[in-house]
Amino acid sequence: MLVQSYHLEVFAPPCAPGAERWCAKATLADDIGDALPYLNATIKGAIPKGLSVYNHAARALTWPLRVGGHTIAVRPREIAISNLVDKDAAATEMQRVVGLINHTWERRAEITPSIEMRQRLKPMEVYKLLPATNCKDCGQPTCFTFALKIIAGEVELEQCAPLFIDAYREKRDKLIALLEGAVN
Ligand code: SF4
């Protein structure tokens, strides 16, 4: 087992003291830096492209979770999770992420590690390829909000029905290519 033990802290987001959502930080007893390229390869295959971020030099990997709307950030001696409802959820979610890391490490012989760097898409890049009519069909108040939620992994492109009519084919194709190829 790679992650043997950790110290868990749960706190209000520094930018929003008093908020009803919580952040959790696990300080790891062991350095898990060697596992990051394997985790990067695993996440890259499981999370829509363009939504996870990996910087091999900085040894940092982050990715969004649609369920719960969390963002997970992993560094060699730290795991951070955002947007948790309470302390019990923080402990449960942290156990889940630790389980994923340990499982990935145990399977490393079957995984081709990846040090491919990826940057998070910029909201304006996505927005420019949406219809920009603010029609609200997707349930969001504006196309820009939809762009933000695409990047956070909280909505699917298919929820923008207008994008799938012929008039927007070119934008749609470019946006799909952008989401699939957000690699620098
Ligand atoms: S459905 Fe598409 S065009 Fe309409 S507001 Fe949502 S993102 Fe914009």
Side-chain angles (χ1 to χ4, degrees):
M1 194 185 301
L2 183 65
V3 181
Q4 304 270 358
S5 62
Y6 55 88
H7 172 69
L8 181 65
E9 296 169 71
V10 182
F11 52 92
C15 57
E20 290 179 6
R21 307 295 282 188
W22 298 82
C23 294
K25 183 176 94 170
T27 303
L28 310 180
D30 301 296
D31 186 322
I32 64 164
D34 288 349
L36 289 179
Y38 295 95
L39 198 56
N40 182 37
T42 302
I43 295 298
K44 208 170 54 160
I47 300 289
K49 291 175 183 172
L51 303 185
S52 61
V53 178
Y54 183 60
N55 185 327
H56 187 64
R59 305 178 88 201
L61 172 65
T62 68
W63 71 95
L65 272 190
R66 187 177 307 281
V67 177
H70 311 306
T71 296
I72 318 279
V74 179
R75 292 177 175 273
R77 286 197 179 265
E78 183 181 298
I79 302 167
I81 308 176
S82 70
N83 202 29
L84 296 149
V85 290
D86 56 31
K87 295 186 181 185
D88 287 345
T92 303
E93 197 59 38
M94 189 60 75
Q95 277 178 0
R96 217 183 56 75
V97 176
V98 166
L100 170 68
I101 293 169
N102 283 335
H103 182 61
T104 301
W105 185 246
E106 282 155 20
R107 290 179 47 244
R108 65 190 180 282
E110 306 159 25
I111 301 170
T112 302
S114 170
I115 60 169
E116 176 186 79
M117 284 185 56
R118 294 187 305 287
Q119 292 184 326
R120 191 179 295 277
L121 290 170
K122 294 180 176 62
M124 193 52 78
E125 286 179 285
V126 174
Y127 171 77
K128 283 180 178 170
L129 295 172
L130 291 170
T133 59
N134 297 331
C135 71
K136 302 183 176 60
D137 276 10
C138 57
Q140 304 304 323
T142 65
C143 295
F144 193 75
T145 305
F146 188 83
L148 291 171
K149 295 204 169 204
I150 280 278
I151 291 170
E154 294 173 11
V155 296
E156 302 281 355
L157 202 56
E158 290 71 18
Q159 289 173 247
C160 174
L163 190 63
F164 289 81
I165 64 175
D166 276 352
Y168 293 115
R169 176 179 295 175
E170 191 178 337
K171 280 190 163 192
R172 180 181 69 236
D173 290 348
K174 283 184 181 172
L175 183 48
I176 290 170
L178 182 72
L179 292 172
E180 289 184 346
V183 173
N184 71 355

